[in-house]
């Protein structure tokens, strides 16, 4: 079994430029050089009986996030040629999609708040449910996502939450609160990591202070910054990628982690959602309004929602998928060994969805930059 290694965000220096593009998209205004968004297709214009061998699909997705033989599987099932292009982060694909040029993409994988921003910029084709009968495989809760209720412009691919991943054999008291990360006990000082990604870097302090993950308040964010700066002297480092390895080796004893990346199948490593609550993150599939292969794009999403295909993500990435039929087919021993896979949709929806904040997103960019740069 392999585990995908991708990150939702760039290092801070590149992050600022990428986010600026995303914010431009959120404002809904095209630059002078940008082409006007294409018109949406009506249901009457789409042919559910289209000969898909006459269309092809190009998708953009994170490395390792879909099966390596996906083009062959799609060709065998849909008779459609599939080209897979890769993006390392949300910002990279957002930069391409909002630059104004025709990317040639039909389907993109992006996190929920970025799908929201693309839709507000008029770049997404509405989802045509009549072309995706496998939407029926989704949990009912997957249609209640705050950034896109009813899956109007996006279809969820994976979902999860963020919590504390820790070594139960190396801490005297097992953590229950974000304050255990922010103000660790003596045995954990300098052995704690927090994420670099701006919204997740802020998350422990935001929740410990009882605030919304989507706060735009300058007063709130000043409090968050102060709390993060107080925590910094006790950190080992900020880390979005290798925190699991550091925990396994014992270099770290407690880390902020996305659930699927906490290696709970290893002895003495556990995961907990702090008592103050956490987030709900979702990675989605969207159809570009500029797609010239909309029937095939919808057929591709329908193919992904097949339990046999969608279950690949849970088995190989260890992220939960919002597909009941796929989750029900998972091997029992896999679920037993990986505790985060046992979380129910209702438990996930108890977390607060991260939504796009438009121009106010720069406040979190500035916060993350200033906190990480502080001595």
């Amino acid at each position: 079994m392999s585990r995908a290694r991708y990150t939702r965000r760039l290092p801070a220096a590149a992050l600022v430029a990428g986010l600026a593009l995303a914010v431009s998209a959120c404002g809904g205004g095209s630059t002078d050089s940008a082409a006007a968004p294409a018109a949406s297709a009506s249901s009457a214009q789409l042919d559910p009986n289209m000969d898909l061998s006459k269309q092809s699909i190009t998708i953009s997705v994170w490395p390792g996030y879909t099966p390596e033989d996906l083009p062959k599987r799609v060709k065998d099932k849909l008779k459609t040629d599939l080209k897979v292009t890769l993006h390392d982060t949300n910002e990279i694909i957002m930069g391409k999609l909002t630059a104004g040029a025709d990317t040639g993409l039909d389907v993109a994988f992006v996190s929920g708040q970025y799908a929201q921003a693309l839709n507000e910029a008029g770049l997404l084709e509405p989802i045509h449910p009549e072309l995706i009968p496998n939407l029926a495989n989704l949990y009912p809760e997957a249609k209640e996502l705050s950034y896109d209720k009813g899956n109007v412009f996006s279809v969820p691919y994976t979902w999860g939450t963020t919590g504390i991943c820790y070594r139960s054999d190396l801490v005297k008291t097992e953590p229950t609160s974000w304050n255990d990360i922010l103000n660790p006990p003596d045995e954990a000082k300098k052995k704690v990591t927090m994420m670099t990604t701006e919204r997740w870097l802020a998350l422990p302090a935001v929740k410990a202070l009882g605030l919304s993950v989507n706060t735009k308040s300058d007063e709130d964010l000043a409090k968050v910054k102060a709390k993060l700066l107080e925590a910094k002297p006790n950190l080992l480092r900020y880390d979005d990628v290798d925190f699991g390895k550091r925990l396994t080796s014992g270099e770290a004893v407690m880390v902020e982690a996305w659930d699927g990346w906490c290696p709970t199948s290893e002895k003495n490593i556990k995961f907990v959602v702090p008592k103050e609550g956490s987030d709900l993150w979702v990675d989605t599939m969207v159809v570009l309004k500029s797609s010239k292969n909309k029937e095939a794009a919808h057929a591709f999403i329908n193919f992904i929602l097949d339990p046999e295909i969608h279950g690949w993500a849970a088995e190989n990435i260890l992220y939960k998928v919002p597909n009941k039929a796929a989750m029900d087919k998972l091997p029992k021993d896999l679920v037993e060994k990986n505790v985060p896979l046992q979380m129910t949709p209702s438990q996930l929806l108890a977390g607060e969805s991260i939504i796009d904040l438009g121009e106010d997103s720069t406040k979190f960019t500035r916060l993350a930059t200033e906190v990480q740069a502080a001595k």
Side-chain angles (χ1 to χ4, degrees), residues 21 24-25 28-38 96-102 121 123:
L21 291 169
S24 175
S30 300
T31 63
D32 292 340
S33 61
K96 290 182 179 178
L97 296 177
T98 60
D102 183 0
L123 298 176

Side-chain angles (χ1 to χ4, degrees), residues 10-30:
L10 290 172
L15 173 154
V16 176
L19 187 60
L21 291 169
V23 169
S24 175
C26 297
S30 300

Side-chain angles (χ1 to χ4, degrees), residues 181-184 189-194 201 224-238 367-375:
I181 284 277
L182 296 163
N183 185 23
K189 288 180 178 176
K190 292 293 185 183
K191 295 183 178 180
V192 172
T193 70
M194 290 172 56
L201 183 148
V224 170
K225 179 181 176 181
K227 200 164 188 66
L228 292 172
L229 290 176
E230 289 176 6
K232 189 169 182 179
N234 292 321
L235 291 182
L236 171 65
R237 62 182 300 148
Y238 297 102
L367 171 72
T369 301
E370 291 175 353
V371 168
Q372 293 187 68
K375 301 296 183 183

Side-chain angles (χ1 to χ4, degrees), residues 246-260:
R246 296 183 197 283
L247 204 65
T248 301
S249 70
E251 181 185 13
V253 299
M254 194 159 49
V255 301
E256 179 190 6
W258 291 308
D259 48 356

